[in-house]
Amino acid sequence: MAGSLYYYAQSQSPMSATQDSTIDIQSTTNLFTSYLQKSPITADKNSTIKLASNSDVFGAYVQDSPISATNNSEVNLNAGKDIFAYIYNPSSGNPIMQMTTDTTSKMTLTAKDAFIRNIQANGLKLDIGGQLSATFGQYLAVSGARPLMHDFRDNSIIDLTINGAQSIANGLIPLASAGSYMKIGDDSQVTINNQTTTNQSVLFGLSGSNSPVTIGDSDVTINNNAVAATRLLENIKLNLENTTGQSPHTIYRGVSLTEKDQTKTTYPFVHFDSTIGTTNATNSSDTTFKTKFESLTSTQNIVQLHLHDPLPPEIITLINTGGLPTDDAQKFKFALNGIATPASELTLNFLSAAGQSLLKGPAKAAAANQAFDYQFESDLPTQPNQIVVEANYPAPYALTTPVRKVLKDIPAGKLGFLAAPTHLDFGSLPLTNSQSPLYPYTKTADTSLIVSDPRATTRGDWAIQVNLKQPFTAGQATLDNALIWRKDQTTKPLVAGQPQQLYSKAAHAPIQPGADETDLTDLLHETVQTQFPAGPKQTATPYTAELELMLITAPN
């Protein structure tokens, strides 16, 4: 049906479009000039209902007549004046007036003046699972507050604009009656626009009770006008949560605030709840956001509030107080403290060039603003690697590629000493003019001798030699031939300038990833001993000697 006509709807006269059908009605005056009672308007199964009037769409009262679009369908209501002149309370046993779309369908509502001119005490519910595109001069023109319930479900797309003169001071989106609310589920896109020149609040709740507005993991933008006294929110309890129970985790959003002087501040990762009433109170994981939000004089200075996906975290400060390890350090410990985006996590790691962790055990993680003190234990890497700090969010917001700050690039490992003695202590010996027995030195943590070969390709020949650089001396006295070499059934004094070979290893290919470690601690202990020769000796002054450990290498 198309053209310019009057449509008279009487009691129990439902309108239904189904199975790919279209109902298209246009009128120059009120479209429904009589009451509409127990007459649902339903578009179903790829169908469309378009109702347009140069005046009111529903010029008389509407009762027990829900409007819905399901299964890829659309309902389009367009009024030159009001969409609803009067919505009555439901008759006994019937639900309140409801306008519904499922996840596949769309509703388009346009009113040059009011969406609802008058409505009785039970109110109306918008239950949108799909799309809602609505533009009203004003939302509600009745002087008294009425319950208006807004369920914007997961994955819904909502565009709601108020652009006309306001005859009643209800706020642009009136939520000032007990029972009014707005719930926005996860993964939705919701935009609310104030295109008026009024100073009425965009979302206006119940004074003293603060009507709830709850927002899940969604992209939500509330655009205010530039009128100085216009509040974005008034008497509103604003929460980040999913009201359907499908998302039990604490919800974090990126939040951008644009003020009417065009100052814009973005908070990458924020969880908050905020009461905007006669006084403001904001609780947040980001104290800077809390302070900012509370300072905006009941949000009247905000021209846009945008809640969006979390932005990548920032490593704001990072201080290394103990110095980083040298390139060839195998085990090291250092203190690190820093600040990252609030509520994100800093992780300290030791990575290969390919980004794989080289730590024995998990990376060290702590919340932002906490100090690190971590002992690295890693094999010598065969490839270049890095010490990095990563900033990421906890699940379920963790980024696939975290933000990284490189603390140090460490080159590929080389053949070298993983550990070498710093001194050999033979202790105190009895004073005698005779030749002493053979004495070993005392084993301690400082006497370990370990060679590490992390070379990636063929690992060439290498050997360890021991050279006497200085015999035992005490002041001007010298004990020659006092350091003894015992190896391969040979016992002889170590002679300066005549190195002895402790160990050798033939060339070979790597058997497994990581470094080859050869522990020569016991062999050195068995091989290097002391035997004091006969003759007088100094007393009270320690005898000291100097040995040189030499790593002799061949090309790879």
Side-chain angles (χ1 to χ4, degrees):
M1 293 181 287
S4 179
L5 51 86
Y6 299 99
Y7 186 83
Y8 296 91
Q10 301 297 324
S11 177
Q12 301 186 36
S13 300
M15 177 184 291
S16 176
T18 188
Q19 300 292 351
D20 304 297
S21 61
T22 298
I23 297 175
D24 189 347
I25 304 173
Q26 301 177 44
S27 173
T28 57
T29 59
N30 292 348
L31 187 59
F32 290 82
T33 59
S34 184
Y35 61 86
L36 190 67
Q37 185 181 42
K38 296 183 179 178
S39 300
I41 297 175
T42 58
D44 187 40
K45 297 180 180 177
N46 302 296
S47 298
T48 301
I49 294 177
K50 294 182 179 181
L51 306 177
S53 169
N54 291 348
S55 186
D56 297 343
V57 173
F58 301 98
Y61 77 77
V62 175
Q63 184 183 44
D64 300 338
S65 300
I67 300 173
S68 64
T70 53
N71 296 310
N72 294 298
S73 298
E74 179 178 356
V75 170
N76 187 321
L77 306 180
N78 191 322
K81 188 182 177 186
D82 305 331
I83 291 181
F84 293 101
Y86 209 137
I87 298 175
Y88 270 36
N89 288 340
S91 57
S92 179
N94 286 294
I96 64 170
M97 177 65 184
Q98 185 162 309
M99 304 180 76
T100 305
T101 72
D102 67 5
T103 58
T104 66
S105 301
K106 179 178 181 180
M107 189 168 290
T108 302
L109 306 174
T110 305
K112 187 174 181 180
D113 194 348
F115 173 35
I116 304 168
R117 174 62 53 181
N118 206 341
I119 186 171
Q120 292 187 335
N122 284 45
L124 174 140
K125 182 177 183 180
L126 288 172
D127 192 343
I128 306 299
Q131 297 184 51
L132 171 66
S133 178
T135 302
F136 311 134
Q138 56 184 335
Y139 192 115
L140 180 63
V142 66
S143 58
R146 298 291 185 268
L148 296 170
M149 291 143 280
H150 307 77
D151 282 293
F152 301 147
R153 305 289 182 176
D154 292 356
N155 301 290
S156 59
I157 300 174
I158 312 295
D159 194 321
L160 179 54
T161 297
I162 309 296
N163 62 5
Q166 305 300 301
S167 60
I168 302 296
N170 285 325
L172 304 187
I173 311 296
L175 303 173
S177 177
S180 294
Y181 62 82
M182 182 177 289
K183 299 178 182 179
I184 300 173
D186 286 344
D187 302 310
S188 296
Q189 297 178 37
V190 177
T191 303
I192 299 173
N193 297 303
N194 176 9
Q195 294 180 355
T196 75
T197 57
T198 181
N199 66 355
Q200 291 197 41
S201 299
V202 179
L203 296 178
F204 183 75
L206 181 59
S207 177
S209 296
N210 301 310
S211 301
V213 175
T214 57
I215 300 174
D217 274 337
S218 297
D219 192 294
V220 176
T221 303
I222 305 177
N223 293 312
N224 200 5
N225 63 21
V227 177
T230 303
R231 293 183 176 187
L232 196 73
L233 310 169
E234 184 175 1
N235 302 324
I236 294 295
K237 178 68 172 176
L238 185 62
N239 292 292
L240 298 188
E241 60 187 50
N242 184 293
T243 57
T244 66
Q246 298 175 18
S247 180
H249 59 272
T250 299
I251 291 175
Y252 285 86
R253 297 281 77 198
V255 179
S256 297
L257 298 172
T258 304
E259 297 176 51
K260 292 181 180 179
D261 63 1
Q262 296 306 304
T263 300
K264 183 174 181 178
T265 312
T266 299
Y267 302 88
F269 194 64
V270 174
H271 171 73
F272 72 92
D273 60 77
S274 187
T275 299
I276 308 296
T278 53
T279 58
N280 295 344
T282 298
N283 296 309
S284 177
S285 57
D286 189 326
T287 55
T288 305
F289 172 81
K290 165 183 165 61
T291 301
K292 181 71 170 180
F293 208 59
E294 289 181 344
S295 73
L296 291 170
T297 58
S298 300
T299 72
Q300 69 183 23
N301 290 342
I302 303 178
V303 73
Q304 184 185 78
L305 170 64
H306 183 196
L307 279 67
H308 45 79
D309 285 337
L311 300 177
E314 298 178 46
I315 299 174
I316 300 169
T317 63
L318 201 59
I319 302 170
N320 170 229
T321 56
L324 291 171
T326 59
D327 289 351
D328 58 352
Q330 302 308 300
K331 297 180 182 180
F332 42 86
K333 182 175 182 178
F334 61 92
L336 184 74
N337 60 78
I339 299 173
T341 296
S344 64
E345 293 178 345
L346 285 178
T347 301
L348 194 59
N349 213 338
F350 189 25
L351 301 178
S352 70
Q356 296 175 320
S357 178
L358 299 173
L359 287 179
K360 293 179 178 178
K364 179 67 174 180
N369 308 320
Q370 292 187 355
F372 292 88
D373 189 1
Y374 190 58
Q375 179 75 37
F376 278 90
E377 293 188 9
S378 173
D379 292 331
L380 266 173
T382 59
Q383 301 294 336
N385 53 83
Q386 297 177 324
I387 300 174
V388 301
V389 171
E390 298 177 348
N392 208 339
Y393 297 125
Y397 301 100
L399 305 174
T400 302
T401 304
V403 174
R404 288 178 176 170
K405 183 179 181 67
V406 177
L407 295 182
K408 183 176 177 65
D409 287 298
I410 299 180
K414 299 178 181 179
L415 175 68
F417 291 109
L418 182 60
T422 57
H423 68 281
L424 305 178
D425 188 352
F426 291 93
S428 299
L429 305 180
L431 183 63
T432 176
N433 287 331
S434 304
Q435 184 183 49
S436 73
L438 286 165
Y439 287 97
Y441 56 83
T442 302
K443 270 189 174 183
T444 67
D446 294 329
T447 62
S448 297
L449 176 59
I450 304 172
V451 176
S452 180
D453 190 353
R455 292 173 290 182
T457 56
T458 300
R459 294 169 180 174
D461 295 344
W462 59 268
I464 295 293
Q465 295 182 351
V466 179
N467 181 45
L468 177 65
K469 292 194 70 176
Q470 178 181 304
F472 275 118
T473 60
Q476 300 300 315
T478 299
L479 291 177
D480 293 321
N481 303 323
L483 278 169
I484 305 301
W485 185 261
R486 301 188 69 194
K487 188 173 183 292
D488 299 329
Q489 299 180 344
T490 298
T491 301
K492 60 182 180 181
L494 277 170
V495 178
Q498 296 180 18
Q500 301 298 313
Q501 186 156 296
L502 179 71
Y503 181 85
S504 66
K505 192 163 189 175
H508 65 285
I511 299 173
Q512 59 187 9
D516 291 333
E517 290 185 7
T518 304
D519 192 336
L520 303 174
T521 302
D522 291 339
L523 179 60
L524 182 66
H525 185 258
E526 295 165 2
T527 303
V528 177
Q529 297 187 15
T530 188
Q531 185 177 45
F532 290 142
K537 292 136 182 112
Q538 293 288 323
T539 62
T541 303
Y543 281 89
T544 60
E546 185 177 350
L547 286 176
E548 181 180 39
L549 295 173
M550 298 185 295
L551 177 58
I552 310 299
T553 63
N556 287 357

